[in-house]
Amino acid sequence: MVRLLRPLLCATTYTRMLHLWVPMLMVSVWLFVDPSTPWMPALFLVPLGLVPAVRRGEGVQARLMLTPGEPEPGISEAPAATWRDRLRTVLWLELRMVLGAAAMFASVWLPIAAFELALCAWGGPPVGMPLLDRLPSHPAWALLTPLPLVVLYGVAVGLGELITAAARRLLGPSAAERLAALEQRTEQLLERTRIARELHDSIGHALTLAVVQAGAARAAGDPEFTDRALAAIEDTGRAALEDLERVLGVLREAERPLSTRPTLADAGRLLESARASGAKVDAEVTGPVEAVPGPVSREGYRILQEALTNALRHAGAVPVRVRVAVAGGTLALEVRNPLPGAIPGPGRGSGLRGIRERAALLGGTAVTGPEAGDWRVRAELPLG
């Protein structure tokens, strides 16, 4: 019983009835103008539904009154983009008027019927409702007095559910809108993946350098080397904090330009950090690196950063050879270092996967693995 009466306490039941009554305002005004053509408002809805903006207005109204509080009600708020959407809007307007007429009829005549039955039960004069005005007075009619109100309750709940289902069907997103929503969701997931990769590269690189530099300083026993290591740790920490602030700014939807991300023009900082960690870095840069397009330069910086981080993490303070070349419309990056004792398998680790993913996103290629006694990371990125 409590479950059956629950819709009486739900505000949505009444907002849906109000939504059904709204079209009857236009019909009521028209009946004052020309009572002989009550069908004219329905005819007027045909050209009205073909206006693209009408679909948006109906969608907004349906979401507010039929599905209040639902985050994903399945009702579009976009204007009609195709003739199919316009025809669906016309059908929606006509169906809404028909159901609104049924709701208005039930809302007016069913309470009057209950009142008429009560009058007949008390022996009062009829009020003129068809059929019921001919009933003889009898106390037994009091038993039927609640029946019209129960029917009104069922009609209100039933028509509310019906109009909501029709709204989801006729005002729901079209195939193009669903595709656009899917593309937007995909872009959001890609952005989250990119941010996670940025955090892995910047913070992971900084922590690796700090650990290696601290270990080298402790083992060296040289105050001058220790001072250099501490200075390098400080610089690396500042750079990591800047990267972290930038990524957090993206998460907070701060409108920061992508140019704040480091590029290959900042590669010197990476090389100096690796040298301060004890690695002997032999770097060779050829070609106009400063002319590399921003997206390619930024991803190239991250690939170089990840390759140096892996070398320091797995091999320690070993000689590292870095080659950066810009020629023939391609950016080529290569990092080689002697193999550590435990050789990681090809493609193992999120860092190596990140290198290949970055290259693939730009239409390039990346190869990681042992070669001629060294661990080699090579990436080629197209410039255009």
Side-chain angles (χ1 to χ4, degrees):
M1 179 61 70
V2 176
R3 185 177 180 182
L4 290 176
L5 296 179
R6 189 175 300 166
L8 284 175
L9 304 177
C10 183
T12 304
T13 303
Y14 304 99
T15 59
R16 288 176 177 177
M17 282 298 291
L18 182 60
H19 183 270
L20 288 168
W21 290 340
V22 170
M24 295 300 101
L25 296 176
M26 181 177 63
V27 176
S28 301
V29 172
W30 179 257
L31 290 178
F32 280 107
V33 177
D34 187 4
S36 62
T37 57
W39 43 266
M40 186 60 70
L43 185 63
F44 175 72
L45 292 178
V46 175
L48 182 64
L50 298 178
V51 179
V54 171
R55 181 170 182 262
R56 167 178 286 176
E58 290 295 319
V60 171
Q61 187 181 156
R63 289 171 70 108
L64 289 175
M65 303 183 73
L66 298 181
T67 58
E70 292 188 24
E72 295 294 336
I75 299 174
S76 174
E77 293 183 344
T82 63
W83 279 103
R84 186 173 184 272
D85 291 340
R86 298 180 184 183
L87 294 177
R88 290 168 65 199
T89 305
V90 172
L91 183 58
W92 158 256
L93 292 175
E94 299 292 350
L95 179 62
R96 183 182 176 187
M97 178 163 287
V98 172
L99 296 180
M104 183 62 71
F105 179 86
S107 301
V108 173
W109 291 106
L110 288 176
I112 294 177
F115 183 70
E116 183 81 7
L117 290 173
L119 284 179
C120 293
W122 287 94
V127 295
M129 183 175 182
L131 299 179
L132 294 184
D133 58 355
R134 301 179 182 179
L135 293 178
S137 298
H138 194 281
W141 295 120
L143 299 176
L144 297 179
T145 299
L147 181 61
L149 300 179
V150 173
V151 174
L152 176 61
Y153 169 69
V155 169
V157 175
L159 289 180
E161 293 291 339
L162 182 59
I163 193 66
T164 304
R168 291 192 172 104
R169 179 69 177 176
L170 299 176
L171 297 179
S174 62
E177 292 170 346
R178 287 194 295 269
L179 180 60
L182 180 61
E183 291 177 350
Q184 182 181 7
R185 176 60 176 166
T186 302
E187 288 294 330
Q188 292 174 347
L189 292 176
L190 289 175
E191 182 66 12
R192 291 176 61 183
T193 302
R194 187 186 69 79
I195 291 174
R197 191 184 296 122
E198 288 284 327
L199 285 174
H200 170 271
D201 291 348
S202 59
I203 306 303
H205 174 77
L207 291 176
T208 298
L209 288 181
V211 170
V212 173
Q213 289 163 348
R218 184 179 61 180
D222 183 357
E224 184 178 353
F225 182 83
T226 300
D227 290 341
R228 291 200 305 270
L230 290 175
I233 291 174
E234 182 180 4
D235 293 339
T236 302
R238 285 200 183 99
L241 288 176
E242 291 176 2
D243 284 342
L244 180 60
E245 182 181 358
R246 177 183 52 78
V247 173
L248 292 178
V250 174
L251 289 175
R252 299 188 192 104
E253 299 181 351
E255 296 182 357
R256 297 194 175 195
L258 288 176
S259 58
T260 58
R261 294 171 56 192
T263 65
L264 284 176
D266 307 308
R269 186 180 68 182
L270 287 177
L271 302 178
E272 290 302 321
S273 297
R275 292 189 180 105
S277 301
K280 299 177 181 179
V281 181
D282 175 21
E284 180 181 339
V285 180
T286 59
V289 176
E290 65 281 353
V292 175
V296 180
S297 186
R298 288 188 288 269
E299 296 304 319
Y301 176 93
R302 289 307 188 191
I303 291 174
L304 178 60
Q305 182 185 53
E306 184 61 34
L308 288 173
T309 301
N310 287 336
L312 291 171
R313 179 184 296 136
H314 298 294
V318 298
V320 180
R321 188 171 63 183
V322 177
R323 297 291 182 266
V324 180
V326 180
T330 302
L331 169 65
L333 299 168
E334 185 179 58
V335 178
R336 302 178 71 105
N337 61 272
L339 282 172
I343 303 175
R348 189 176 301 168
S350 59
L352 300 181
R353 286 197 301 271
I355 290 175
R356 289 191 291 270
E357 288 173 0
R358 288 182 182 278
L361 285 175
L362 295 175
T365 58
V367 179
T368 60
E371 182 183 275
D374 291 339
W375 182 263
R376 173 177 177 249
V377 175
R378 179 173 177 79
E380 293 186 359
L381 308 177
L383 299 182

